[in-house]
Amino acid sequence: MNNLSAFLNSSLGRKVVMAVTGLFLITFLIVHCGINALIFYNDGGKTFNKGAEFMGTNPIIRTMEIVLFIGFIIHILQALVLTRKNSASRPVKYAVNAAAENSKWYSRSMGLLGTIILMFLIIHLRHFWVISRFTDQITGGHTTLFNEMQEVFSHLWIVVLYDLAMISLAYHLLHGFYSAFQTLGLNNKKYTPLIKQVGTAFSIIIPFVFAMMPLSVYMGWVK
């Protein structure tokens, strides 16, 4: 037990925890994107509302929401600790900074990108999750989640905010997807190129689909 605790509190242990929770959150993104993309049926939100109702009433899904929040919190806390430790280990900046030659800018900006995503999540949860889970606006039949989406995305500044957050998510995933596999040792000469290709595709497609949702509602492409 002491060995496990020591490992989890080490830099490597924290990176492993971040990798595991990161892969879990990637799985969530696939499910969440698939359900939300039902708005593109363009049937007045009927299909989307059915999917949202299933997600909101299924006991397994509701239980997984709790697991998801725990995963988010752990992922964020580990990121903060690692960022602080990395900064503390380099109190004096190098006279010649060759970081740009050794890594991509977004791999060096995971803290900033993660902070932007966290701020977006707080706003996003307020817009949809709180209303659907803690008020009777949806369950009481006063409105539907699709109607709520139409209301929220009728404001240009919100659409811009959401799409900027999705750009941040794309860059965050570009680094995080492959790094998670690398940290867990799930890479080799044979599979690494495929993992990188899948990671790049995932990092572009998922944020793009998410970004198109508020834009499509605002522009009236989805009704």
Side-chain angles (χ1 to χ4, degrees):
M1 190 67 179
N2 290 333
N3 291 335
L4 177 60
S5 177
F7 172 73
L8 293 177
N9 285 307
S10 68
S11 294
L12 177 59
R14 293 184 185 281
K15 288 180 180 179
V16 169
V17 172
M18 276 203 70
V20 172
T21 54
L23 290 176
F24 172 72
L25 295 176
I26 283 172
T27 303
F28 160 74
L29 284 176
I30 296 173
V31 175
H32 191 52
C33 185
I35 295 296
N36 284 7
L38 294 176
I39 68 168
F40 293 118
Y41 271 93
N42 217 2
D43 58 358
K46 292 181 180 179
T47 302
F48 168 75
N49 284 330
K50 288 180 180 178
E53 183 179 1
F54 170 78
M55 295 292 286
T57 57
N58 187 291
I60 297 177
I61 300 298
R62 295 301 296 272
T63 301
M64 288 304 296
E65 281 185 352
I66 300 174
V67 178
L68 175 65
F69 271 110
I70 294 174
F72 267 128
I73 293 171
I74 293 175
H75 192 78
I76 292 168
L77 289 177
Q78 297 290 17
L80 290 174
V81 171
L82 285 171
T83 299
R84 186 181 63 182
K85 285 192 172 184
N86 288 338
S87 297
S89 66
R90 295 189 298 270
V92 180
K93 293 185 178 181
Y94 299 113
V96 179
N97 188 351
E101 299 176 6
N102 301 320
S103 61
K104 300 292 186 180
W105 72 267
Y106 50 81
S107 68
R108 305 190 305 274
S109 307
M110 291 295 280
L112 173 61
L113 295 173
T115 300
I116 293 173
I117 295 170
L118 176 60
M119 294 172 62
F120 156 76
L121 281 174
I122 294 172
I123 296 172
H124 179 63
L125 291 174
R126 172 62 184 87
H127 283 156
F128 298 105
W129 189 73
V130 171
I131 288 178
S132 64
R133 296 292 188 273
F134 298 101
T135 74
D136 66 348
Q137 291 188 45
I138 306 298
T139 57
H142 304 294
T143 187
T144 67
L145 202 57
F146 180 73
N147 292 143
E148 182 66 20
M149 184 181 289
Q150 289 181 307
E151 169 60 26
V152 170
F153 294 147
S154 66
H155 305 284
L156 179 60
W157 74 269
I158 294 180
V159 174
V160 172
L161 174 65
Y162 269 59
D163 284 356
L164 287 176
M166 291 307 101
I167 294 174
S168 298
L169 176 62
Y171 282 115
H172 193 79
L173 289 172
L174 275 173
H175 174 75
F177 190 100
Y178 171 67
S179 292
F181 285 91
Q182 187 178 41
T183 298
L184 296 174
L186 303 177
N187 61 329
N188 57 47
K189 292 182 179 180
K190 183 177 180 180
Y191 299 113
T192 293
L194 177 61
I195 292 174
K196 287 184 175 180
Q197 290 172 6
V198 172
T200 300
F202 182 89
S203 302
I204 295 173
I205 294 172
I206 295 296
F208 175 77
V209 174
F210 274 127
M212 285 301 297
M213 294 175 193
L215 182 61
S216 296
V217 173
Y218 180 79
M219 297 299 294
W221 300 333
V222 170
K223 298 179 180 180

